[in-house]
Amino acid sequence: QKEVEQDPGPLSVPEGAIVSLNCTYSNSAFQYFMWYRQYSRKGPELLMYTYSSGNKEDGRFTAQVDKSSKYISLFIRDSQPSDSATYLCAMSVRIQGAQKLVFGQGTRLTINP
Amino acid sequence: DTAVSQTPKYLVTQMGNDKSIKCEQNLGHDTMYWYKQDSKKFLKIMFSYNNKELIINETVPNRFSPKSPDKAHLNLHINSLELGDSAVYFCASSQIHEQFFGPGTRLTVL
């Protein structure tokens, strides 16, 4: 079993739809929970991170963590064509000043105008 | 100004060759990383250096050798390249939580 499981999609929705992306994990030692966005032929960029159960909102994006169920989600409201990208969930543990990130497989999202 | 830069951007080489990828960050971060992203977009950590000290060394063949000459630079040398080494290699740096990724080096082994 992989430490982090993410449905690879692809996922295609119309512009303006609400998008829900999800990951499950098995390692209780994970301390931080993140969502990265990766455009084609680019490096991943951090969208949001949180370390506690609950919701965190940033504009059209909401990250949700449920540590008891080992489940995290990213919601995108009023989705735009510019949101089309691969979304990677990531979990981390801190090791002597470094942060070991374990990524999900990534979900390829397409927003259709 | 580019925060994390990598050279080269593309690398095409024959099996058995030795090649190096270079990474530089101008963010003043203490920690740098190498990741490998395979053809299915799965991103996996390989190494991490904190203040020039190797901290994370995942299950990576000995043919891969990282080297950090100073806090701002982390290089990756690969000996005896194999077909399975074909991937995109990303460098990243961090200070606390957020890791900033470089643009990637697309390595193709023929």
Side-chain angles (χ1 to χ4, degrees), chain A residues 41, chain B residues 6 8-13 21 34-44 46 64 76 78 81-90 103-110:
Chain A
R41 305 249 167 185
Chain B
Q6 294 178 229
K9 192 168 183 180
Y10 298 96
L11 192 51
V12 181
T13 188
I21 306 172
W34 278 112
Y35 288 85
K36 178 181 179 181
Q37 188 169 47
D38 62 23
S39 58
K40 295 184 179 179
K41 293 279 205 173
F42 185 59
L43 194 58
K44 185 169 169 56
M46 299 172 71
F64 290 79
L76 183 66
I78 315 170
L81 279 155
E82 299 178 358
L83 292 177
D85 298 332
S86 294
V88 181
Y89 292 83
F90 286 100
T105 295
R106 187 171 294 270
L107 171 65
T108 303
V109 182
L110 303 175

Side-chain angles (χ1 to χ4, degrees), chain B residues 1 9 18 20 34 41 46-47 55-56 59 62 67 69-70 79-80 85 88-89 91-92 96 100-101 107 110:
Chain B
D1 286 341
K9 192 168 183 180
D18 303 339
S20 291
W34 278 112
K41 293 279 205 173
M46 299 172 71
F47 304 102
I55 300 296
I56 296 173
T59 310
N62 290 339
K67 190 168 184 179
D70 55 59
N79 288 328
S80 303
D85 298 332
V88 181
Y89 292 83
C91 176
I96 306 175
F100 292 82
F101 284 78
L107 171 65
L110 303 175

